mmCIF file of all heavy atoms in Angstrom:
data_model
loop_
_atom_site.group_PDB
_atom_site.id
_atom_site.type_symbol
_atom_site.label_atom_id
_atom_site.label_comp_id
_atom_site.label_asym_id
_atom_site.label_seq_id
_atom_site.Cartn_x
_atom_site.Cartn_y
_atom_site.Cartn_z
ATOM 1 N N ASP A 316 -73.535 -67.644 66.214
ATOM 2 C CA ASP A 316 -72.476 -68.394 66.896
ATOM 3 C C ASP A 316 -72.276 -67.883 68.315
ATOM 4 O O ASP A 316 -71.198 -68.062 68.897
ATOM 5 C CB ASP A 316 -71.173 -68.287 66.102
ATOM 6 C CG ASP A 316 -70.162 -69.353 66.481
ATOM 7 O OD1 ASP A 316 -70.578 -70.455 66.905
ATOM 8 O OD2 ASP A 316 -68.956 -69.090 66.358
ATOM 9 N N ASP A 364 -47.839 -79.148 58.278
ATOM 10 C CA ASP A 364 -47.267 -77.925 58.837
ATOM 11 C C ASP A 364 -47.328 -77.942 60.364
ATOM 12 O O ASP A 364 -48.181 -78.600 60.974
ATOM 13 C CB ASP A 364 -48.027 -76.697 58.341
ATOM 14 C CG ASP A 364 -47.728 -76.357 56.892
ATOM 15 O OD1 ASP A 364 -46.908 -77.050 56.264
ATOM 16 O OD2 ASP A 364 -48.332 -75.386 56.389
ATOM 17 N N ILE A 382 -57.092 -68.633 67.908
ATOM 18 C CA ILE A 382 -56.361 -68.749 66.652
ATOM 19 C C ILE A 382 -56.894 -70.008 65.993
ATOM 20 O O ILE A 382 -56.944 -71.070 66.626
ATOM 21 C CB ILE A 382 -54.842 -68.840 66.873
ATOM 22 C CG1 ILE A 382 -54.319 -67.574 67.557
ATOM 23 C CG2 ILE A 382 -54.112 -69.070 65.551
ATOM 24 C CD1 ILE A 382 -52.848 -67.644 67.943
ATOM 25 N N TRP A 383 -57.302 -69.892 64.727
ATOM 26 C CA TRP A 383 -57.962 -71.023 64.089
ATOM 27 C C TRP A 383 -57.783 -70.961 62.585
ATOM 28 O O TRP A 383 -57.220 -70.008 62.041
ATOM 29 C CB TRP A 383 -59.441 -71.071 64.469
ATOM 30 C CG TRP A 383 -60.226 -69.784 64.419
ATOM 31 C CD1 TRP A 383 -59.935 -68.610 65.067
ATOM 32 C CD2 TRP A 383 -61.435 -69.524 63.698
ATOM 33 N NE1 TRP A 383 -60.906 -67.656 64.801
ATOM 34 C CE2 TRP A 383 -61.832 -68.182 63.971
ATOM 35 C CE3 TRP A 383 -62.254 -70.297 62.874
ATOM 36 C CZ2 TRP A 383 -62.984 -67.606 63.429
ATOM 37 C CZ3 TRP A 383 -63.408 -69.724 62.335
ATOM 38 C CH2 TRP A 383 -63.752 -68.400 62.618
ATOM 39 N N LEU A 431 -47.749 -72.173 72.420
ATOM 40 C CA LEU A 431 -48.543 -73.248 71.852
ATOM 41 C C LEU A 431 -47.948 -73.671 70.520
ATOM 42 O O LEU A 431 -47.513 -72.824 69.722
ATOM 43 C CB LEU A 431 -49.990 -72.795 71.620
ATOM 44 C CG LEU A 431 -50.833 -72.548 72.866
ATOM 45 C CD1 LEU A 431 -52.016 -71.655 72.536
ATOM 46 C CD2 LEU A 431 -51.318 -73.876 73.434
ATOM 47 N N VAL A 440 -53.612 -84.626 64.639
ATOM 48 C CA VAL A 440 -53.249 -83.251 64.984
ATOM 49 C C VAL A 440 -52.702 -83.283 66.404
ATOM 50 O O VAL A 440 -53.323 -83.850 67.303
ATOM 51 C CB VAL A 440 -54.458 -82.300 64.881
ATOM 52 C CG1 VAL A 440 -54.047 -80.874 65.254
ATOM 53 C CG2 VAL A 440 -55.036 -82.327 63.469
ATOM 54 N N GLY A 455 -56.407 -86.512 62.710
ATOM 55 C CA GLY A 455 -55.714 -85.782 61.673
ATOM 56 C C GLY A 455 -56.633 -84.992 60.759
ATOM 57 O O GLY A 455 -57.836 -84.871 60.985
ATOM 58 N N ARG A 497 -42.795 -75.828 57.684
ATOM 59 C CA ARG A 497 -43.245 -76.857 56.735
ATOM 60 C C ARG A 497 -42.125 -77.865 56.514
ATOM 61 O O ARG A 497 -40.945 -77.486 56.462
ATOM 62 C CB ARG A 497 -43.643 -76.203 55.415
ATOM 63 C CG ARG A 497 -44.182 -77.155 54.347
ATOM 64 C CD ARG A 497 -44.932 -76.375 53.280
ATOM 65 N NE ARG A 497 -46.120 -75.743 53.873
ATOM 66 C CZ ARG A 497 -46.748 -74.706 53.324
ATOM 67 N NH1 ARG A 497 -46.313 -74.192 52.197
ATOM 68 N NH2 ARG A 497 -47.810 -74.202 53.933
ATOM 69 N N GLN A 503 -45.064 -74.907 48.055
ATOM 70 C CA GLN A 503 -46.382 -74.271 48.017
ATOM 71 C C GLN A 503 -46.972 -74.513 46.638
ATOM 72 O O GLN A 503 -46.446 -74.060 45.630
ATOM 73 C CB GLN A 503 -46.246 -72.760 48.262
ATOM 74 C CG GLN A 503 -47.555 -72.024 48.291
ATOM 75 C CD GLN A 503 -48.162 -71.981 49.679
ATOM 76 O OE1 GLN A 503 -47.670 -72.632 50.581
ATOM 77 N NE2 GLN A 503 -49.225 -71.238 49.846
#
Side-chain angles (χ1 to χ4, degrees):
D316 198 29
D364 286 358
I382 298 174
W383 46 304
L431 291 160
V440 180
R497 182 162 296 160
Q503 182 89 352

